[in-house]
Amino acid sequence: MHGTRLTPDLLLRAYAEGLFPMAERRDDPTLYWVSPERRGVIPLDGFHVPRRLARTLRSGRFSLTSDLAFPEVMRACAAPAPGREESWINDEILRLYTALHAGGHAHSVECWQDGALAGGLYGVSLGAAFFGESMFSRRTDASKAALVHLVGLLRRGGYVLLDTQFLTSHLARFGAVEIPRAQYLGLLQTALGRPAAWPADGELQTD
């Protein structure tokens, strides 16, 4: 992605067309557009919470917030971790999505344990679509707890599409499926034509 410097507005226009940017490595300044032939989505009415995780959530081990530590969540998602030494989140991605967050188009969910950031996720909000970008976990089940609360938040806010970009075995346990690009684009256009509201932090509750 050379030439014109990418702006938050151009980025949102790309999302509306089914595109999203990635970098090859965190130290590579170049971005490229991605539009998978098969797209991962989590049907909000088909989301499944495994029993063990449900017990963990009921135990009160974690506390959940939204938009309280967006830059910290992004940096944690980009940081090396066991089994994930490299990252597609470079400095340009950090700059762009921090700007989207400042403009109300990117949000984070934070999972805390004993006052420390234990896990979380972030993504982009456009119309009634939410595009999950990345998640991280420093404590067992922390990112999973963040995902459960994200789905609850999206349901309350009137969202109709949760895009995970790719399907992984981890996400499949929660009901994620893979659909053809054409079907995804149809769902996306429907979602873009509907209003949705990201609930304020005080409205984020334990499900």
Side-chain angles (χ1 to χ4, degrees), residues 72-83:
E72 291 82 357
V73 168
M74 276 207 73
R75 287 194 292 269
C77 288

Side-chain angles (χ1 to χ4, degrees), residues 5-40:
R5 185 173 173 82
L6 191 57
T7 65
D9 284 343
L10 287 173
L11 186 54
L12 289 177
R13 286 164 55 188
Y15 271 94
E17 297 296 327
L19 301 164
F20 58 90
M22 297 183 74
E24 289 286 355
R25 303 178 308 278
R26 70 171 56 83
D27 60 353
D28 186 344
T30 304
L31 300 181
Y32 62 94
W33 292 117
V34 181
S35 177
E37 290 188 10
R38 298 189 64 80
R39 195 83 165 220

Side-chain angles (χ1 to χ4, degrees), residues 28-184:
D28 186 344
T30 304
L31 300 181
Y32 62 94
W33 292 117
V34 181
S35 177
E37 290 188 10
R38 298 189 64 80
R39 195 83 165 220
V41 298
I42 296 180
L44 293 173
D45 58 357
F47 185 69
H48 169 70
V49 181
R51 288 183 179 180
R52 186 183 63 80
L53 179 60
R55 289 196 298 270
T56 296
L57 294 173
R58 289 194 296 269
S59 74
R61 180 189 307 175
F62 299 123
S63 59
L64 278 291
T65 60
S66 67
D67 288 344
L68 189 63
F70 185 89
E72 291 82 357
V73 168
M74 276 207 73
R75 287 194 292 269
C77 288
R84 192 187 68 180
E85 285 69 27
E86 196 46 82
S87 172
W88 55 268
I89 303 172
N90 63 6
D91 287 344
E92 183 69 352
I93 292 283
L94 288 166
R95 177 188 73 82
L96 285 164
Y97 288 77
T98 300
L100 284 182
H101 174 64
H105 284 291
H107 300 282
S108 59
V109 173
E110 301 89 17
C111 181
W112 307 87
Q113 186 174 23
D114 301 326
L117 188 60
L121 57 83
Y122 77 95
V124 173
S125 174
L126 191 60
F130 188 84
F131 310 85
E133 288 295 315
S134 187
M135 60 175 61
F136 79 99
S137 190
R138 293 171 177 162
R139 306 280 181 89
T140 301
D141 290 337
S143 64
K144 297 175 185 177
L147 178 60
V148 171
H149 285 272
L150 170 68
V151 170
L153 187 153
L154 296 178
R155 286 171 172 168
R156 289 191 293 276
Y159 289 81
V160 297
L161 175 62
L162 173 51
D163 173 11
T164 68
Q165 300 178 343
F166 302 103
L167 177 66
T168 65
S169 58
H170 170 73
L171 293 174
R173 297 189 189 102
F174 293 89
V177 296
E178 200 173 50
I179 60 175
R181 180 191 291 146
Q183 182 181 352
Y184 168 78

